[in-house]
Amino acid sequence: MKVAEVIESSTRSFVAEVYNDNDAPAFGTWVRADGRDGRDIFGLISHVEVGSYDGNRQAVALGVSEEDRQREWPMVQELLRTTVHAQILAHRDRDGRVRQTLPAQPPGIHAFTYRCEEDIVRELGAPYDFLRTLITQPADNVPVDDLLVAVLRHIYTAHGGETGGRPELVRAGRTLSRLLDDDHERLQSVLRRIL
Amino acid sequence: MLDLRQLRDQLGRVPETQAGTRDLREKQRRRALRALQEVADEWQRVQARVQQTQPGHLVAALRSSPTMTAASSARPTPMTVVSTDGSQIYPDRHIEPTYFLLNIGRVAFQYGTTESPVLDAVPDLRFPSDLNDHFDEVLSTMTTEVVSALRDEQELAELLRLARETHVPGRPIVALADGTLIRWMLRGMQNRAVEEELIERYTGMLREFREEQFPIASYISMPGNTELVNLLRFHLDELEEEAPHPATVDEVNPGEVDEEEPPLAGLLDRHVFASVLARGERSAVFGSMSRIQRQYPEGNEICYFYLHVPVNDHESEIARVEIPAWVADDRPLVDLVHAVVMSECRKGEGYPLVLSEAHERAVIRAPERDAFQRLLGRTLRRAGLSSPHSQKRRSKQRPRV
């Protein structure tokens, strides 16, 4: 299902405007954008933002309930929009294989963005090269550690959670541990927050 | 470049003048309130005398006691409120081809429901050749006035269209316009044919509002009208003696008048109503005796009332609300308009929310205007035509060091 549309784009990251605010992809989840050559580009949601459409207008406190706001301030919802930032970490190559590296071209402006199903989360698996990109070259202002917590949690869920998710989580955790080996405290802090 | 240092000296005079004006207004106001009470006591006789005398100044027509006030009732819910506001790019003789652009912001709210609002804007690009012969003649000399008049017309046309599109049978509706419904500015054109054509089209639309039974009202913030004050001056026999509008204390010669009882010239209706109306209250509905109104179809002559609009706990202002006579004659409709305007002003902190939303949609910001001009230039070049900007304009845009 289309959930958003690209409004800023580069080979490292893109920004997409969400169609329905209640449907915004969550922080740390994978999304897929249509690449210009028709091949999927995968990104991790690194930032979700709700704000005013109009740069000249700021939201102000109204002091009314949500129901009253909907009934008596009908323009408020129209003036707000949710945008998501995605850090690009993988794409599908000509043969249809998922490559954990940056695409040759960014998604086009107005390209549709979809939520990734769990099978794609599983496909974006070992040896978890995307974790290296994320840790060594995060896009601007990406909160890397919190994003790691979220992405590892999703790996756990996509592989069955309590019924089978643990081995894959351990595998991803090992990769993370190699990447962070000189920073034991940081690794512990990420792992503590996963489960 | 504005030299603020030079201006500072000139600003020095301002507080003194302001204080003098305030004292004068206070005395005028006290006198006006006494006169108002006298008029109220025999308002039918005063009105008859006005009809007889036909004073040269614009005088409020009394339809009831001028001291009448009414509190606001609660706005019904659900209800539809529609509004439009326009902006424009005026023709610029430094740009060819000459064009002007109207942009009408449209807002429709279905209050009390979760139905989607209408929030959009309709641009309308026009070239002088679109206008007929009458207009060609005036356009060469009175460009901004004609464009403003056409914008007002377009605002009303879109307001009518929007009311038709969004009206739900059985649900009350009010259409709120910005500014006056009386076509004063057309007088300034000094061109009978254009004036008549514009008034006819405008009043034709007002008639349609009536046929559809869509109550229409317009909102004027900080009104500068003096019709009621003129009536009081008429009552005090000082209407014909003074120059029509001495605006400040300097212009009233203190030697000739009783300083405690100054003539009312320069006082505005809103100064008087600030003392008559409690917060949220409206005044009596007055009729307008302007000549331009004689061209309005019967039942569509514009009437008005004043409204004491709270801005916050400490501040408030007196606004003027204009309505056609068929609305003014229907007490529940006047109550409805009053309730809607009050509810809108409460939300908009002293100015109707629906109007400021329409304005937001209508306004053409500088970057948008530049983008439009680039688009126009590109379109012309693509068609093999050049778009010669005058050198004067170019030098204004890019001053060199």
Side-chain angles (χ1 to χ4, degrees):
Chain A
M1 191 181 63
K2 288 173 210 162
V3 290
E5 190 171 320
V6 174
I7 54 172
E8 285 174 40
S9 181
S10 73
T11 47
R12 293 189 66 199
S13 63
F14 62 86
V15 180
E17 181 179 332
V18 174
Y19 293 124
N20 179 349
D21 296 347
N22 299 324
D23 226 17
F27 174 75
T29 57
W30 285 98
V31 290
R32 166 170 72 82
D34 290 328
R36 282 197 232 170
D37 45 11
R39 293 198 293 271
D40 299 334
I41 291 173
F42 298 101
L44 259 188
I45 299 296
S46 59
H47 183 76
V48 183
E49 186 172 317
V50 185
S52 167
Y53 258 108
D54 185 342
N56 293 311
R57 297 180 64 165
Q58 239 188 340
V60 293
L62 297 174
V64 298
S65 70
E66 184 174 345
E67 195 188 339
D68 281 352
R69 197 188 68 224
Q70 283 171 356
R71 290 171 192 276
E72 291 297 322
W73 301 82
M75 77 292 177
V76 171
Q77 202 52 40
E78 300 289 316
L79 290 169
L80 295 179
R81 67 168 179 181
T82 302
T83 49
V84 291
H85 294 224
Q87 165 145 20
I88 296 174
L89 292 167
H91 68 281
R92 213 180 270 284
D93 70 11
R94 201 168 297 173
D95 307 323
R97 281 191 311 163
V98 172
R99 296 258 179 199
Q100 294 188 13
T101 180
L102 300 187
Q105 296 290 338
I109 297 290
H110 299 300
F112 295 129
T113 305
Y114 310 81
R115 212 189 290 276
C116 285
E117 301 300 331
E118 288 192 342
D119 55 328
I120 293 183
V121 180
R122 288 193 293 270
E123 229 177 313
L124 285 156
Y128 293 108
D129 288 330
F130 75 82
L131 287 179
R132 176 177 291 277
T133 314
L134 184 58
I135 288 166
T136 56
Q137 284 159 337
D140 288 347
N141 295 320
V142 166
V144 178
D145 288 11
D146 292 276
L147 197 51
L148 287 170
V149 172
V151 80
L152 289 176
R153 255 194 206 149
H154 290 304
I155 290 171
Y156 175 71
T157 317
H159 285 86
E162 285 181 15
T163 54
R166 193 163 280 272
E168 194 59 31
L169 181 61
V170 169
R171 196 177 307 172
R174 283 209 188 100
T175 307
L176 187 63
S177 142
R178 276 196 300 278
L179 287 166
L180 296 179
D181 67 350
D182 56 345
D183 194 344
H184 186 69
E185 208 154 298
R186 186 176 174 198
L187 176 67
Q188 283 307 314
S189 149
V190 171
L191 294 178
R192 262 202 311 275
R193 287 184 278 171
I194 293 173
L195 289 177
Chain B
M1 187 176 132
L2 196 58
D3 188 342
L4 291 178
R5 264 189 318 182
Q6 288 185 46
L7 273 176
R8 201 178 302 152
D9 300 340
Q10 296 173 37
L11 276 171
R13 276 187 66 235
V14 173
E16 193 190 330
T17 319
Q18 269 303 98
T21 307
R22 195 190 55 209
D23 292 347
L24 171 68
R25 292 281 176 265
E26 198 39 53
K27 287 169 191 160
Q28 284 179 319
R29 193 191 334 232
R30 279 201 295 270
R31 184 154 178 261
L33 289 171
R34 280 200 307 276
L36 181 66
Q37 195 49 56
E38 288 164 20
V39 171
D41 292 342
E42 45 163 14
W43 69 267
Q44 279 118 330
R45 275 184 39 211
V46 174
Q47 177 60 22
R49 211 154 62 82
V50 168
Q51 292 284 7
Q52 238 171 36
T53 320
Q54 296 281 327
H57 290 59
L58 200 56
V59 166
L62 297 177
R63 300 159 49 97
S64 59
S65 166
T67 48
M68 189 220 99
T69 60
S72 164
S73 48
R75 196 211 67 205
T77 195
M79 89 160 286
T80 310
V81 178
V82 296
S83 179
T84 56
D85 191 23
S87 67
Q88 67 285 309
I89 298 177
Y90 286 117
D92 182 342
R93 68 183 181 85
H94 294 112
I95 295 180
E96 271 185 10
T98 304
Y99 72 90
F100 61 92
L101 179 71
L102 305 177
N103 195 40
I104 311 296
R106 314 188 321 148
V107 174
F109 290 155
Q110 303 287 357
Y111 284 126
T113 78
T114 52
E115 294 162 34
S116 297
V118 175
L119 287 157
D120 59 20
V122 184
D124 184 2
L125 176 62
R126 299 209 203 173
F127 296 92
S129 54
D130 297 346
L131 304 171
N132 68 24
D133 305 342
H134 299 320
F135 288 97
D136 249 1
E137 195 183 315
V138 265
L139 199 63
S140 53
T141 50
M142 306 282 300
T143 340
T144 51
E145 283 85 348
V146 179
V147 171
S148 298
L150 291 172
R151 184 206 59 214
D152 290 346
E153 182 178 305
Q154 204 61 19
E155 286 178 19
L156 195 67
E158 288 296 341
L159 190 61
L160 180 62
R161 188 159 75 94
L162 188 59
R164 283 185 174 133
E165 284 169 10
T166 58
H167 177 52
V168 178
R171 188 181 291 175
I173 182 170
V174 164
L176 196 59
D178 182 35
T180 178
L181 296 173
I182 305 171
R183 305 287 79 204
W184 306 106
M185 80 293 289
L186 302 183
R187 284 276 171 228
M189 287 182 191
Q190 308 281 339
N191 183 316
R192 248 345 240 243
V194 171
E195 182 187 310
E196 269 170 27
E197 186 175 333
L198 284 172
I199 291 185
E200 200 182 306
R201 294 209 299 240
Y202 197 82
T203 55
M205 288 188 281
L206 285 179
R207 197 187 293 131
E208 288 184 69
F209 273 96
R210 187 186 188 185
E211 281 161 14
E212 301 267 14
Q213 290 290 298
F214 297 148
I216 176 171
S218 76
Y219 184 87
I220 302 160
S221 178
M222 291 280 276
N225 306 69
T226 55
E227 287 128 294
L228 180 87
V229 169
N230 285 346
L231 180 73
L232 301 178
R233 293 170 68 206
F234 171 81
H235 171 72
L236 295 168
D237 279 331
E238 64 180 52
L239 192 52
E240 310 301 335
E241 292 163 15
E242 299 271 342
H245 299 290
T248 65
V249 66
D250 297 344
E251 293 165 58
V252 177
N253 183 345
E256 291 175 17
V257 295
D258 177 350
E259 267 193 55
E260 292 308 307
E261 296 284 317
L264 300 186
L267 191 68
L268 303 178
D269 289 0
R270 65 178 150 91
H271 297 141
V272 178
F273 282 108
S275 306
V276 173
L277 300 172
R279 289 161 71 91
E281 278 184 345
R282 73 165 186 263
S283 71
V285 178
F286 300 97
S288 171
M289 294 179 65
S290 77
R291 274 200 306 126
I292 216 156
Q293 290 254 59
R294 291 182 202 148
Q295 283 169 259
Y296 279 51
E298 204 190 331
N300 287 292
E301 305 90 343
I302 303 304
C303 303
Y304 54 91
F305 59 82
Y306 289 93
L307 184 62
H308 192 155
V309 178
V311 176
N312 54 36
D313 289 350
H314 317 290
E315 293 168 276
S316 61
E317 78 158 79
I318 302 294
R320 171 170 160 131
V321 177
E322 295 185 348
I323 44 179
W326 70 271
V327 176
D329 291 338
D330 187 333
R331 173 75 194 244
L333 284 187
V334 181
D335 286 342
L336 178 67
V337 167
H338 183 182
V340 166
V341 173
M342 274 309 295
S343 149
E344 287 297 321
C345 287
R346 248 192 306 268
K347 288 183 193 171
E349 293 183 348
Y351 188 77
L353 179 77
V354 72
L355 279 181
S356 47
E357 287 300 328
H359 172 78
E360 283 299 322
R361 295 284 150 168
V363 71
I364 303 168
R365 297 187 205 287
E368 294 168 337
R369 181 202 178 97
D370 295 347
F372 170 72
Q373 263 150 11
R374 279 196 302 276
L375 184 66
L376 180 70
R378 209 184 306 153
T379 310
L380 286 171
R381 279 195 300 280
R382 214 175 280 152
L385 301 163
S386 64
S387 60
H389 281 48
S390 82
Q391 296 311 317
K392 174 170 179 185
R393 189 181 175 83
R394 192 165 297 163
S395 84
K396 274 186 180 174
Q397 280 173 344
R398 287 209 194 92
R400 283 181 289 191
V401 178

